[in-house]
mmCIF file of all heavy atoms in Angstrom:
data_model
loop_
_atom_site.group_PDB
_atom_site.id
_atom_site.type_symbol
_atom_site.label_atom_id
_atom_site.label_comp_id
_atom_site.label_asym_id
_atom_site.label_seq_id
_atom_site.Cartn_x
_atom_site.Cartn_y
_atom_site.Cartn_z
ATOM 1 N N ARG A 1 0.836 -1.192 0.000
ATOM 2 C CA ARG A 1 0.000 0.000 0.000
ATOM 3 C C ARG A 1 0.872 1.244 0.000
ATOM 4 O O ARG A 1 2.042 1.212 0.361
ATOM 5 C CB ARG A 1 -0.904 0.019 1.247
ATOM 6 C CG ARG A 1 -2.023 -1.012 1.210
ATOM 7 C CD ARG A 1 -2.826 -0.946 2.479
ATOM 8 N NE ARG A 1 -3.980 -1.842 2.429
ATOM 9 C CZ ARG A 1 -4.789 -2.058 3.458
ATOM 10 N NH1 ARG A 1 -4.537 -1.458 4.606
ATOM 11 N NH2 ARG A 1 -5.802 -2.868 3.334
ATOM 12 N N LYS A 2 0.263 2.363 -0.377
ATOM 13 C CA LYS A 2 0.934 3.637 -0.304
ATOM 14 C C LYS A 2 1.131 4.004 1.170
ATOM 15 O O LYS A 2 0.381 3.570 2.031
ATOM 16 C CB LYS A 2 0.116 4.704 -1.010
ATOM 17 C CG LYS A 2 -0.017 4.447 -2.511
ATOM 18 C CD LYS A 2 -0.895 5.491 -3.161
ATOM 19 C CE LYS A 2 -1.050 5.204 -4.663
ATOM 20 N NZ LYS A 2 -1.923 6.205 -5.316
ATOM 21 N N PRO A 3 2.136 4.841 1.473
ATOM 22 C CA PRO A 3 2.441 5.179 2.874
ATOM 23 C C PRO A 3 1.243 5.691 3.660
ATOM 24 O O PRO A 3 1.010 5.283 4.794
ATOM 25 C CB PRO A 3 3.534 6.238 2.739
ATOM 26 C CG PRO A 3 4.197 5.910 1.442
ATOM 27 C CD PRO A 3 3.108 5.429 0.536
ATOM 28 N N HIS A 4 0.443 6.613 3.072
ATOM 29 C CA HIS A 4 -0.675 7.158 3.830
ATOM 30 C C HIS A 4 -1.754 6.111 4.063
ATOM 31 O O HIS A 4 -2.466 6.136 5.058
ATOM 32 C CB HIS A 4 -1.252 8.393 3.106
ATOM 33 C CG HIS A 4 -2.037 8.054 1.869
ATOM 34 N ND1 HIS A 4 -1.430 7.813 0.656
ATOM 35 C CD2 HIS A 4 -3.380 7.918 1.667
ATOM 36 C CE1 HIS A 4 -2.369 7.558 -0.248
ATOM 37 N NE2 HIS A 4 -3.550 7.615 0.346
ATOM 38 N N GLU A 5 -1.859 5.125 3.116
ATOM 39 C CA GLU A 5 -2.831 4.045 3.300
ATOM 40 C C GLU A 5 -2.396 3.103 4.415
ATOM 41 O O GLU A 5 -3.210 2.614 5.198
ATOM 42 C CB GLU A 5 -3.001 3.274 1.990
ATOM 43 C CG GLU A 5 -3.686 4.071 0.884
ATOM 44 C CD GLU A 5 -3.752 3.292 -0.405
ATOM 45 O OE1 GLU A 5 -2.898 2.398 -0.588
ATOM 46 O OE2 GLU A 5 -4.656 3.569 -1.211
ATOM 47 N N ARG A 6 -1.065 2.830 4.499
ATOM 48 C CA ARG A 6 -0.567 1.968 5.565
ATOM 49 C C ARG A 6 -0.774 2.622 6.925
ATOM 50 O O ARG A 6 -1.155 1.979 7.901
ATOM 51 C CB ARG A 6 0.922 1.658 5.351
ATOM 52 C CG ARG A 6 1.177 0.751 4.146
ATOM 53 C CD ARG A 6 2.523 0.062 4.268
ATOM 54 N NE ARG A 6 3.634 1.012 4.301
ATOM 55 C CZ ARG A 6 4.261 1.456 3.215
ATOM 56 N NH1 ARG A 6 3.861 1.059 1.996
ATOM 57 N NH2 ARG A 6 5.268 2.309 3.305
ATOM 58 N N ALA A 7 -0.544 3.917 7.002
ATOM 59 C CA ALA A 7 -0.726 4.632 8.264
ATOM 60 C C ALA A 7 -2.183 4.582 8.716
ATOM 61 O O ALA A 7 -2.491 4.379 9.886
ATOM 62 C CB ALA A 7 -0.261 6.079 8.112
ATOM 63 N N GLN A 8 -3.093 4.746 7.739
ATOM 64 C CA GLN A 8 -4.510 4.703 8.076
ATOM 65 C C GLN A 8 -4.934 3.307 8.517
ATOM 66 O O GLN A 8 -5.703 3.136 9.449
ATOM 67 C CB GLN A 8 -5.345 5.159 6.872
ATOM 68 C CG GLN A 8 -6.836 5.266 7.200
ATOM 69 C CD GLN A 8 -7.625 5.817 6.032
ATOM 70 O OE1 GLN A 8 -7.136 5.852 4.915
ATOM 71 N NE2 GLN A 8 -8.840 6.248 6.313
ATOM 72 N N ALA A 9 -4.366 2.264 7.840
ATOM 73 C CA ALA A 9 -4.736 0.884 8.189
ATOM 74 C C ALA A 9 -4.233 0.505 9.562
ATOM 75 O O ALA A 9 -4.843 -0.277 10.270
ATOM 76 C CB ALA A 9 -4.170 -0.076 7.141
ATOM 77 N N CYS A 10 -3.075 1.080 9.979
ATOM 78 C CA CYS A 10 -2.494 0.747 11.272
ATOM 79 C C CYS A 10 -3.039 1.605 12.398
ATOM 80 O O CYS A 10 -2.698 1.384 13.558
ATOM 81 C CB CYS A 10 -0.971 0.909 11.209
ATOM 82 S SG CYS A 10 -0.186 -0.306 10.116
ATOM 83 N N ARG A 11 -3.830 2.609 12.086
ATOM 84 C CA ARG A 11 -4.349 3.496 13.123
ATOM 85 C C ARG A 11 -5.258 2.736 14.073
ATOM 86 O O ARG A 11 -6.148 1.997 13.657
ATOM 87 C CB ARG A 11 -5.143 4.635 12.463
ATOM 88 C CG ARG A 11 -5.670 5.682 13.443
ATOM 89 C CD ARG A 11 -6.248 6.865 12.692
ATOM 90 N NE ARG A 11 -7.376 6.460 11.874
ATOM 91 C CZ ARG A 11 -8.646 6.493 12.290
ATOM 92 N NH1 ARG A 11 -8.926 6.902 13.515
ATOM 93 N NH2 ARG A 11 -9.627 6.126 11.497
ATOM 94 N N THR A 12 -5.009 2.905 15.348
ATOM 95 C CA THR A 12 -5.806 2.226 16.363
ATOM 96 C C THR A 12 -6.938 3.133 16.818
ATOM 97 O O THR A 12 -6.697 4.275 17.224
ATOM 98 C CB THR A 12 -4.936 1.848 17.570
ATOM 99 O OG1 THR A 12 -3.879 1.001 17.141
ATOM 100 C CG2 THR A 12 -5.764 1.141 18.623
ATOM 101 N N VAL A 13 -8.141 2.621 16.729
ATOM 102 C CA VAL A 13 -9.301 3.370 17.211
ATOM 103 C C VAL A 13 -10.096 2.471 18.142
ATOM 104 O O VAL A 13 -10.044 1.251 18.051
ATOM 105 C CB VAL A 13 -10.206 3.842 16.037
ATOM 106 C CG1 VAL A 13 -9.460 4.794 15.134
ATOM 107 C CG2 VAL A 13 -10.739 2.652 15.253
ATOM 108 N N SER A 14 -10.839 3.096 19.035
ATOM 109 C CA SER A 14 -11.692 2.318 19.938
ATOM 110 C C SER A 14 -12.906 1.810 19.170
ATOM 111 O O SER A 14 -13.264 2.337 18.105
ATOM 112 C CB SER A 14 -12.140 3.188 21.111
ATOM 113 O OG SER A 14 -12.992 4.228 20.640
ATOM 114 N N ALA A 15 -13.528 0.803 19.713
ATOM 115 C CA ALA A 15 -14.724 0.248 19.070
ATOM 116 C C ALA A 15 -15.834 1.286 18.925
ATOM 117 O O ALA A 15 -16.453 1.385 17.862
ATOM 118 C CB ALA A 15 -15.210 -0.968 19.852
ATOM 119 N N PRO A 16 -16.115 2.099 19.964
ATOM 120 C CA PRO A 16 -17.146 3.135 19.774
ATOM 121 C C PRO A 16 -16.813 4.125 18.667
ATOM 122 O O PRO A 16 -17.682 4.539 17.901
ATOM 123 C CB PRO A 16 -17.190 3.826 21.153
ATOM 124 C CG PRO A 16 -16.755 2.773 22.106
ATOM 125 C CD PRO A 16 -15.697 2.006 21.375
ATOM 126 N N GLU A 17 -15.505 4.512 18.567
ATOM 127 C CA GLU A 17 -15.106 5.419 17.496
ATOM 128 C C GLU A 17 -15.326 4.789 16.131
ATOM 129 O O GLU A 17 -15.789 5.436 15.181
ATOM 130 C CB GLU A 17 -13.636 5.800 17.657
ATOM 131 C CG GLU A 17 -13.341 6.748 18.808
ATOM 132 C CD GLU A 17 -11.865 7.026 18.946
ATOM 133 O OE1 GLU A 17 -11.068 6.059 18.993
ATOM 134 O OE2 GLU A 17 -11.491 8.203 18.996
ATOM 135 N N ARG A 18 -14.966 3.523 16.011
ATOM 136 C CA ARG A 18 -15.116 2.838 14.727
ATOM 137 C C ARG A 18 -16.588 2.700 14.350
ATOM 138 O O ARG A 18 -16.962 2.847 13.189
ATOM 139 C CB ARG A 18 -14.446 1.461 14.804
ATOM 140 C CG ARG A 18 -14.442 0.701 13.486
ATOM 141 C CD ARG A 18 -13.754 1.488 12.394
ATOM 142 N NE ARG A 18 -13.679 0.724 11.150
ATOM 143 C CZ ARG A 18 -13.653 1.269 9.951
ATOM 144 N NH1 ARG A 18 -13.689 2.606 9.834
ATOM 145 N NH2 ARG A 18 -13.574 0.520 8.880
ATOM 146 N N LEU A 19 -17.421 2.411 15.334
ATOM 147 C CA LEU A 19 -18.859 2.322 15.062
ATOM 148 C C LEU A 19 -19.397 3.665 14.589
ATOM 149 O O LEU A 19 -20.242 3.729 13.693
ATOM 150 C CB LEU A 19 -19.602 1.871 16.334
ATOM 151 C CG LEU A 19 -19.522 0.392 16.690
ATOM 152 C CD1 LEU A 19 -20.167 0.138 18.054
ATOM 153 C CD2 LEU A 19 -20.216 -0.449 15.629
ATOM 154 N N ASN A 20 -18.893 4.727 15.196
ATOM 155 C CA ASN A 20 -19.318 6.068 14.782
ATOM 156 C C ASN A 20 -18.892 6.339 13.342
ATOM 157 O O ASN A 20 -19.645 6.916 12.539
ATOM 158 C CB ASN A 20 -18.713 7.113 15.727
ATOM 159 C CG ASN A 20 -19.390 8.465 15.602
ATOM 160 O OD1 ASN A 20 -20.315 8.632 14.809
ATOM 161 N ND2 ASN A 20 -18.938 9.429 16.374
ATOM 162 N N GLU A 21 -17.651 5.932 12.980
ATOM 163 C CA GLU A 21 -17.167 6.110 11.615
ATOM 164 C C GLU A 21 -18.032 5.345 10.618
ATOM 165 O O GLU A 21 -18.338 5.822 9.531
ATOM 166 C CB GLU A 21 -15.719 5.636 11.512
ATOM 167 C CG GLU A 21 -14.716 6.518 12.240
ATOM 168 C CD GLU A 21 -13.308 5.940 12.166
ATOM 169 O OE1 GLU A 21 -13.159 4.845 11.581
ATOM 170 O OE2 GLU A 21 -12.378 6.574 12.700
ATOM 171 N N LEU A 22 -18.415 4.129 10.985
ATOM 172 C CA LEU A 22 -19.154 3.272 10.057
ATOM 173 C C LEU A 22 -20.625 3.640 9.951
ATOM 174 O O LEU A 22 -21.240 3.468 8.894
ATOM 175 C CB LEU A 22 -19.033 1.806 10.498
ATOM 176 C CG LEU A 22 -17.631 1.180 10.404
ATOM 177 C CD1 LEU A 22 -17.623 -0.193 11.059
ATOM 178 C CD2 LEU A 22 -17.191 1.076 8.945
ATOM 179 N N THR A 23 -21.209 4.119 11.057
ATOM 180 C CA THR A 23 -22.658 4.326 11.066
ATOM 181 C C THR A 23 -23.071 5.782 11.203
ATOM 182 O O THR A 23 -24.222 6.125 10.910
ATOM 183 C CB THR A 23 -23.298 3.549 12.238
ATOM 184 O OG1 THR A 23 -22.837 4.111 13.485
ATOM 185 C CG2 THR A 23 -22.917 2.079 12.186
ATOM 186 N N GLY A 24 -22.143 6.625 11.690
ATOM 187 C CA GLY A 24 -22.511 8.001 11.950
ATOM 188 C C GLY A 24 -23.326 8.171 13.209
ATOM 189 O O GLY A 24 -23.881 9.234 13.474
ATOM 190 N N ILE A 25 -23.403 7.126 13.999
ATOM 191 C CA ILE A 25 -24.177 7.157 15.242
ATOM 192 C C ILE A 25 -23.217 7.039 16.423
ATOM 193 O O ILE A 25 -22.417 6.104 16.492
ATOM 194 C CB ILE A 25 -25.204 6.012 15.298
ATOM 195 C CG1 ILE A 25 -26.184 6.131 14.116
ATOM 196 C CG2 ILE A 25 -25.959 6.019 16.623
ATOM 197 C CD1 ILE A 25 -27.132 4.964 13.996
ATOM 198 N N ALA A 26 -23.306 7.965 17.339
ATOM 199 C CA ALA A 26 -22.411 7.964 18.489
ATOM 200 C C ALA A 26 -22.781 6.856 19.468
ATOM 201 O O ALA A 26 -23.963 6.529 19.639
ATOM 202 C CB ALA A 26 -22.467 9.318 19.191
ATOM 203 N N THR A 27 -21.772 6.271 20.094
ATOM 204 C CA THR A 27 -21.991 5.284 21.151
ATOM 205 C C THR A 27 -22.038 6.020 22.486
ATOM 206 O O THR A 27 -21.100 6.734 22.849
ATOM 207 C CB THR A 27 -20.848 4.245 21.182
ATOM 208 O OG1 THR A 27 -20.834 3.546 19.934
ATOM 209 C CG2 THR A 27 -21.052 3.254 22.313
ATOM 210 N N LEU A 28 -23.113 5.862 23.198
ATOM 211 C CA LEU A 28 -23.297 6.597 24.446
ATOM 212 C C LEU A 28 -22.728 5.867 25.654
ATOM 213 O O LEU A 28 -22.673 6.424 26.758
ATOM 214 C CB LEU A 28 -24.782 6.871 24.677
ATOM 215 C CG LEU A 28 -25.461 7.731 23.605
ATOM 216 C CD1 LEU A 28 -26.913 7.979 23.975
ATOM 217 C CD2 LEU A 28 -24.721 9.046 23.424
ATOM 218 N N GLY A 29 -22.297 4.633 25.480
ATOM 219 C CA GLY A 29 -21.714 3.915 26.608
ATOM 220 C C GLY A 29 -21.527 2.449 26.281
ATOM 221 O O GLY A 29 -22.133 1.921 25.348
ATOM 222 N N VAL A 30 -20.670 1.810 27.036
ATOM 223 C CA VAL A 30 -20.423 0.372 26.907
ATOM 224 C C VAL A 30 -20.530 -0.235 28.299
ATOM 225 O O VAL A 30 -19.751 0.107 29.199
ATOM 226 C CB VAL A 30 -19.028 0.078 26.319
ATOM 227 C CG1 VAL A 30 -18.803 -1.434 26.246
ATOM 228 C CG2 VAL A 30 -18.885 0.709 24.944
ATOM 229 N N LEU A 31 -21.503 -1.100 28.479
ATOM 230 C CA LEU A 31 -21.690 -1.731 29.779
ATOM 231 C C LEU A 31 -20.686 -2.865 29.970
ATOM 232 O O LEU A 31 -20.449 -3.652 29.044
ATOM 233 C CB LEU A 31 -23.103 -2.296 29.905
ATOM 234 C CG LEU A 31 -24.226 -1.292 30.141
ATOM 235 C CD1 LEU A 31 -25.576 -1.992 30.113
ATOM 236 C CD2 LEU A 31 -24.043 -0.589 31.481
ATOM 237 N N PRO A 32 -20.114 -2.998 31.163
ATOM 238 C CA PRO A 32 -19.213 -4.124 31.431
ATOM 239 C C PRO A 32 -20.017 -5.422 31.574
ATOM 240 O O PRO A 32 -21.232 -5.386 31.764
ATOM 241 C CB PRO A 32 -18.563 -3.734 32.757
ATOM 242 C CG PRO A 32 -19.598 -2.891 33.435
ATOM 243 C CD PRO A 32 -20.267 -2.120 32.331
ATOM 244 N N TRP A 33 -19.306 -6.533 31.477
ATOM 245 C CA TRP A 33 -19.956 -7.829 31.723
ATOM 246 C C TRP A 33 -20.227 -7.955 33.219
ATOM 247 O O TRP A 33 -19.338 -7.775 34.039
ATOM 248 C CB TRP A 33 -19.064 -8.973 31.260
ATOM 249 C CG TRP A 33 -19.683 -10.312 31.516
ATOM 250 C CD1 TRP A 33 -19.473 -11.128 32.583
ATOM 251 C CD2 TRP A 33 -20.646 -10.974 30.700
ATOM 252 N NE1 TRP A 33 -20.239 -12.266 32.487
ATOM 253 C CE2 TRP A 33 -20.968 -12.198 31.340
ATOM 254 C CE3 TRP A 33 -21.268 -10.655 29.497
ATOM 255 C CZ2 TRP A 33 -21.883 -13.099 30.809
ATOM 256 C CZ3 TRP A 33 -22.185 -11.561 28.965
ATOM 257 C CH2 TRP A 33 -22.476 -12.764 29.621
ATOM 258 N N LEU A 34 -21.476 -8.234 33.591
ATOM 259 C CA LEU A 34 -21.856 -8.281 34.997
ATOM 260 C C LEU A 34 -22.393 -9.659 35.371
ATOM 261 O O LEU A 34 -23.213 -10.233 34.639
ATOM 262 C CB LEU A 34 -22.943 -7.244 35.288
ATOM 263 C CG LEU A 34 -22.585 -5.768 35.094
ATOM 264 C CD1 LEU A 34 -23.826 -4.919 35.274
ATOM 265 C CD2 LEU A 34 -21.509 -5.354 36.070
ATOM 266 N N ALA A 35 -21.938 -10.177 36.484
ATOM 267 C CA ALA A 35 -22.553 -11.374 37.075
ATOM 268 C C ALA A 35 -23.720 -10.868 37.918
ATOM 269 O O ALA A 35 -23.664 -10.796 39.145
ATOM 270 C CB ALA A 35 -21.544 -12.130 37.922
ATOM 271 N N HIS A 36 -24.809 -10.502 37.241
ATOM 272 C CA HIS A 36 -25.868 -9.729 37.882
ATOM 273 C C HIS A 36 -26.792 -10.544 38.774
ATOM 274 O O HIS A 36 -27.382 -10.023 39.709
ATOM 275 C CB HIS A 36 -26.688 -8.992 36.826
ATOM 276 C CG HIS A 36 -27.162 -9.866 35.712
ATOM 277 N ND1 HIS A 36 -28.123 -10.836 35.878
ATOM 278 C CD2 HIS A 36 -26.784 -9.929 34.402
ATOM 279 C CE1 HIS A 36 -28.347 -11.441 34.737
ATOM 280 N NE2 HIS A 36 -27.539 -10.923 33.812
ATOM 281 N N GLY A 37 -26.971 -11.824 38.491
ATOM 282 C CA GLY A 37 -27.850 -12.634 39.319
ATOM 283 C C GLY A 37 -29.327 -12.431 39.064
ATOM 284 O O GLY A 37 -30.174 -12.891 39.842
ATOM 285 N N LEU A 38 -29.680 -11.761 37.965
ATOM 286 C CA LEU A 38 -31.098 -11.583 37.629
ATOM 287 C C LEU A 38 -31.670 -12.871 37.039
ATOM 288 O O LEU A 38 -30.946 -13.670 36.450
ATOM 289 C CB LEU A 38 -31.265 -10.437 36.634
ATOM 290 C CG LEU A 38 -30.940 -9.037 37.153
ATOM 291 C CD1 LEU A 38 -31.017 -8.033 36.026
ATOM 292 C CD2 LEU A 38 -31.887 -8.647 38.282
#
């Protein structure tokens, strides 16, 4: 790939950021895994 393409491919983004890029919808939060007992 061209240098700028390699840099873009290696860029690390969080999952919420990537979802925003793909969908245009902001992620308002990520709940942790809970042993809730419900």
Side-chain angles (χ1 to χ4, degrees):
R1 288 178 175 174
K2 295 177 181 179
H4 73 278
E5 292 177 335
R6 291 201 298 271
Q8 185 176 15
C10 293
R11 183 171 62 92
T12 301
V13 297
S14 66
E17 288 177 309
R18 185 58 177 151
L19 283 173
N20 195 0
E21 290 177 358
L22 293 172
T23 66
I25 300 173
T27 298
L28 298 182
V30 178
L31 285 175
W33 179 264
L34 297 173
H36 51 69
L38 293 174

